[in-house]
């Protein structure tokens, strides 16, 4: 029995098409998972920004309360100043008031800084919310689109597998095991066309007798890379 170059070329083409379909079926879930990961990253970033803003608000509230307490303290000190019985006492109270005023001025600066931070976080939150919505939409759309193609891809996959089974009958039984090993190892590059008297997979020049045998319809493997050869 002889195997024609056309049979082997068809067989190679079927392997390539099957590999392409399988590639699409495998790539889809990976690309979906990658998009899902972007969504979850945005959710984490948004939560972190919200926490940071909450923390700033708490700090700002604490400092505002401290400021009010200090102001009340200053008022009390001012009343005491009027009731001071000696110059010494007057000086002490005056310096306490001054110290509290300085402390309040520092607190006011810190509160302003907190308020700026709260504003900045609000902008960051808004931006992250927009990005999160966009990444969710992208994820959903990609998933729906891919899932819609699965039945066709699976049908194509099944068809190609049965065509392949039929096409493989061109391989003589004596060479079947070697062929299966090649397919297991190299899938769609298990076969290699001969181009300009060389193996198109490893570019090794083929001996003239191999070319003659291929022409006679014999099954020959590349001596360098082991691929199943066929003439274009
Ligand atoms: Zn080769």
């Amino acid at each position: 029995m002889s195997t024609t170059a056309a049979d082997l070329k068809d067989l190679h083409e079927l392997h390539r098409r099957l590999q392409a379909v399988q590639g699409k079926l495998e790539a889809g879930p990976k690309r979906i998972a990658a998009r899902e990961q972007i969504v979850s990253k945005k959710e984490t970033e948004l939560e972190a920004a919200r926490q940071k803003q909450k923390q700033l608000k708490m700090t700002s509230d604490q400092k505002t309360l401290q400021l009010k307490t200090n102001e009340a303290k200053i008022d009390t000190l001012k009343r005491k100043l009027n009731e001071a019985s000696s110059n010494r006492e007057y000086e002490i109270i005056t310096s306490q008031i001054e110290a509290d005023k300085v402390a309040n001025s520092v607190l006011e600066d810190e509160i302003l800084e907190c308020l700026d931070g709260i504003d900045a976080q609000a902008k960051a939150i808004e931006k992250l919310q927009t990005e999160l919505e966009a990444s969710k939409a992208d994820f959903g759309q990609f998933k729906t689109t891919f899932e819609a193609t699965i039945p066709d891809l699976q049908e194509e996959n099944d068809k190609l597998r049965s065509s392949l089974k039929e096409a493989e009958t061109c391989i003589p039984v004596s060479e079947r095991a070697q062929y299966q090993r090649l397919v297991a190892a190299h899938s769609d590059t298990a076969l290699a066309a001969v181009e300009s008297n060389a193996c198109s997979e490893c570019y090794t020049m083929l001996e003239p007798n191999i070319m003659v045998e291929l022409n006679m319809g014999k099954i020959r493997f590349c001596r360098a890379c082991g691929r199943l050869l066929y003439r274009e």
Side-chain angles (χ1 to χ4, degrees):
M1 180 197 160
S2 76
T3 308
T4 70
D7 288 338
L8 292 173
K9 191 181 169 154
D10 287 348
L11 182 62
H12 196 185
E13 184 54 26
L14 283 169
H15 272 294
R16 284 193 180 121
R17 284 167 60 192
L18 183 65
Q19 187 63 26
V21 170
Q22 281 178 339
K24 282 182 192 168
L25 280 167
E26 282 163 21
K30 281 182 197 160
R31 292 170 71 187
I32 288 171
R35 279 164 174 78
E36 202 170 16
Q37 227 169 356
I38 293 172
V39 171
S40 126
K41 188 170 169 271
K42 287 287 161 207
E43 278 170 344
T44 308
E45 283 173 9
L46 183 60
E47 182 53 27
R50 282 186 175 137
Q51 283 302 324
K52 197 171 173 186
Q53 193 188 42
K54 200 176 156 191
Q55 196 61 47
L56 282 167
K57 276 181 181 164
M58 276 168 61
T59 308
S60 162
D61 287 350
Q62 281 165 2
K63 287 186 188 292
T64 305
L65 189 67
Q66 179 74 50
L67 186 68
K68 280 179 187 162
T69 311
N70 283 5
E71 275 168 358
K73 195 178 152 201
I74 290 171
D75 287 344
T76 311
L77 286 170
K78 277 179 180 168
R79 274 198 301 278
K80 277 190 183 169
L81 201 58
N82 296 330
E83 297 154 10
S85 55
S86 68
N87 276 349
R88 178 79 190 124
E89 196 183 346
Y90 190 89
E91 271 166 28
I92 288 171
I93 296 171
T94 307
S95 68
Q96 271 179 350
I97 290 173
E98 284 313 308
D100 283 336
K101 277 184 179 169
V102 170
N104 276 5
S105 150
V106 170
L107 272 174
E108 276 165 4
D109 286 349
E110 286 172 352
I111 291 166
L112 278 179
E113 216 170 283
C114 281
L115 294 177
D116 282 349
I118 291 165
D119 277 353
Q121 285 308 310
K123 281 187 190 118
I125 288 167
E126 202 181 325
K127 186 169 173 271
L128 283 167
Q129 271 169 336
T130 309
E131 287 171 1
L132 176 62
E133 287 314 310
S135 66
K136 274 183 180 170
D138 181 46
F139 163 69
Q141 198 180 12
F142 188 87
K143 191 166 182 274
T144 310
T145 308
F146 173 71
E147 280 169 357
T149 67
I150 291 177
D152 282 351
L153 285 173
Q154 235 134 29
E155 194 188 329
E156 177 79 0
N157 190 54
D158 294 346
K159 266 191 206 162
L160 285 168
R161 280 190 182 281
S162 78
S163 301
L164 195 63
K165 215 166 196 182
E166 208 170 298
E168 280 169 342
T169 56
C170 77
I171 309 277
V173 176
S174 57
E175 312 287 356
R176 226 34 94 71
Q178 179 63 9
Y179 161 78
Q180 292 297 354
R181 274 197 292 275
L182 275 173
V183 172
H186 306 294
S187 62
D188 63 335
T189 63
L191 288 88
V194 174
E195 282 165 12
S196 309
N197 295 341
C199 163
S200 62
E201 194 57 40
C202 71
Y203 307 111
T204 300
M205 291 300 292
L206 305 170
E207 287 111 345
N209 66 308
I210 301 257
M211 298 299 295
V212 171
E213 285 167 353
L214 281 173
N215 224 19
M216 289 163 67
K218 288 186 178 170
I219 291 286
R220 285 295 171 264
F221 300 94
C222 172
R223 283 194 186 157
C225 73
R227 269 25 179 231
L228 173 48
L229 298 166
Y230 67 91
R231 297 190 74 168
E232 273 282 27

